[in-house]
Amino acid sequence: MTLRNVLKSAFAAMLMLGAAGLTTHAKADAVDDITKAGAINVGIFSDFPPFSSASADMSIKGYDIDVAQAIADALKVKLNLVSVTGQNRIPYLTDKRVDILMSVGYSKEREQVIDFAAAYAPYYIAVIGPAELAVNGKDDLADKSIAVNRGTLEDTSLTQAAPASADIRRFDNYNSVIQAFISGQTQLMVVGNDVGAQVLAKQDALKPEQKFQLLTSPSHIGLNKNEDRLKKAVNDAVAKMLADGKLDESSKAWLKTPLNPDNLKD
């Protein structure tokens, strides 16, 4: 064999080894990694009540934590919560610093980078008012005073839905919106169900309630692409919670309202 042929053979062998290495890497399985580590790393917003926030004993609790624990239990591993921000959470996932992300809204742009398990948490924009005030739909907003956070999706949704005679009063933050409502400056307020849950839980005297929804955009669990086993495990865990009523229990406990399965549809 000539030197040239030897070099050709060696080069071909290197290419084959490289391809094998790439194939092995591509087939790396998150479930195997999680099982081997004995823990699943779950990215959460650590201050996002009622989905996740510090409790009196300083542990993180909430709707997201209930679901994350169910997923860990299904995989028979420990739950390891990792605090993330809106800016770093996608890089944390793609860099495999976390295995899954909670509270991820679906978008076509995000789908180019990550995968989505089935929706597990309702997120919607709702009109909230006292029980004694009859409001059943957008036509009933006529001549009503309504507090909303300026420039938000809530503001846009309300502006599109409300009759011309509605008195929309825009504030610069959610605390001001809530204060305007509970102090009687406005008859109604429009907020996301995360903010609304806090008001529903604390204002016993006012007896506020959700009147109707303006927009629904459920939260998903984000994971890396091509992780079919992990996606199935997550979907199965959520489906089990939905079937046995545990997801409804979490909704009542944290969101202060029964779970409506329709709110899990995109």
Side-chain angles (χ1 to χ4, degrees), residues 37-166:
I40 182 169
N41 297 318
V42 179
I44 59 155
F45 294 127
S46 56
D47 187 18
F48 186 42
F51 293 96
S52 54
S53 60
S55 61
D57 63 3
M58 298 311 293
S59 63
I60 304 295
K61 294 182 179 178
Y63 186 101
D64 278 3
I65 311 308
D66 288 354
V67 176
Q69 186 63 64
I71 294 168
D73 291 345
L75 291 169
K76 299 180 180 179
V77 295
K78 177 184 175 183
L79 173 61
N80 182 34
L81 299 175
V82 180
S83 180
V84 298
T85 67
Q87 291 71 40
N88 70 21
R89 62 179 181 160
I90 301 298
Y92 267 43
L93 179 62
T94 56
D95 290 346
K96 299 188 177 180
R97 298 175 67 174
V98 297
D99 300 301
I100 60 174
L101 293 172
M102 309 301 293
S103 288
V104 184
Y106 171 82
S107 73
K108 290 183 178 179
E109 293 76 18
R110 285 175 176 163
E111 193 178 33
Q112 299 300 312
V113 182
I114 66 172
D115 199 1
F116 293 85
Y120 76 100
Y123 180 79
Y124 50 84
I125 294 170
V127 176
I128 292 178
E132 62 186 20
L133 185 64
V135 175
N136 299 307
K138 62 183 181 180
D139 291 342
D140 294 327
L141 300 178
D143 302 316
K144 303 293 193 305
S145 57
I146 313 160
V148 70
N149 195 351
R150 188 190 319 275
T152 60
L153 185 58
E154 293 98 308
D155 187 357
T156 303
S157 301
L158 175 60
T159 302
Q160 291 175 347
S165 64

Side-chain angles (χ1 to χ4, degrees), residues 246-264:
K246 294 294 178 62
L247 213 54
D248 182 56
E249 290 176 14
S250 290
S251 182
K252 291 174 181 175
W254 300 109
L255 307 181
K256 305 305 177 185
T257 186
L259 180 68
N260 180 354
D262 287 341
N263 287 333
L264 300 182

Side-chain angles (χ1 to χ4, degrees), residues 94-256:
T94 56
D95 290 346
K96 299 188 177 180
R97 298 175 67 174
V98 297
D99 300 301
I100 60 174
L101 293 172
M102 309 301 293
S103 288
V104 184
Y106 171 82
S107 73
K108 290 183 178 179
E109 293 76 18
R110 285 175 176 163
E111 193 178 33
Q112 299 300 312
V113 182
I114 66 172
D115 199 1
F116 293 85
Y120 76 100
Y123 180 79
Y124 50 84
I125 294 170
V127 176
I128 292 178
E132 62 186 20
L133 185 64
V135 175
N136 299 307
K138 62 183 181 180
D139 291 342
D140 294 327
L141 300 178
D143 302 316
K144 303 293 193 305
S145 57
I146 313 160
V148 70
N149 195 351
R150 188 190 319 275
T152 60
L153 185 58
E154 293 98 308
D155 187 357
T156 303
S157 301
L158 175 60
T159 302
Q160 291 175 347
S165 64
D167 178 14
I168 300 176
R169 302 183 188 179
R170 296 174 174 86
F171 297 86
D172 292 331
N173 55 64
Y174 288 112
N175 284 336
S176 297
V177 170
I178 293 169
Q179 285 304 314
F181 171 63
I182 64 177
S183 66
Q185 292 180 53
T186 63
Q187 296 166 284
L188 302 165
M189 71 174 185
V190 170
V191 293
N193 63 319
D194 53 341
V195 176
Q198 300 174 60
V199 178
L200 297 176
K202 296 177 181 178
Q203 298 300 320
D204 293 335
L206 188 60
K207 293 183 172 58
E209 63 182 13
Q210 292 182 8
K211 299 299 185 179
F212 67 96
Q213 295 175 21
L214 289 173
L215 178 147
T216 299
S217 180
S219 293
H220 292 256
I221 295 169
L223 67 159
N224 280 311
K225 286 185 174 295
N226 303 314
E227 294 293 355
D228 294 339
R229 286 180 66 207
L230 180 58
K231 185 174 182 177
K232 183 179 186 304
V234 169
N235 285 343
D236 287 350
V238 172
K240 184 175 184 299
M241 291 188 77
L242 190 59
D244 64 16
K246 294 294 178 62
L247 213 54
D248 182 56
E249 290 176 14
S250 290
S251 182
K252 291 174 181 175
W254 300 109
L255 307 181
K256 305 305 177 185

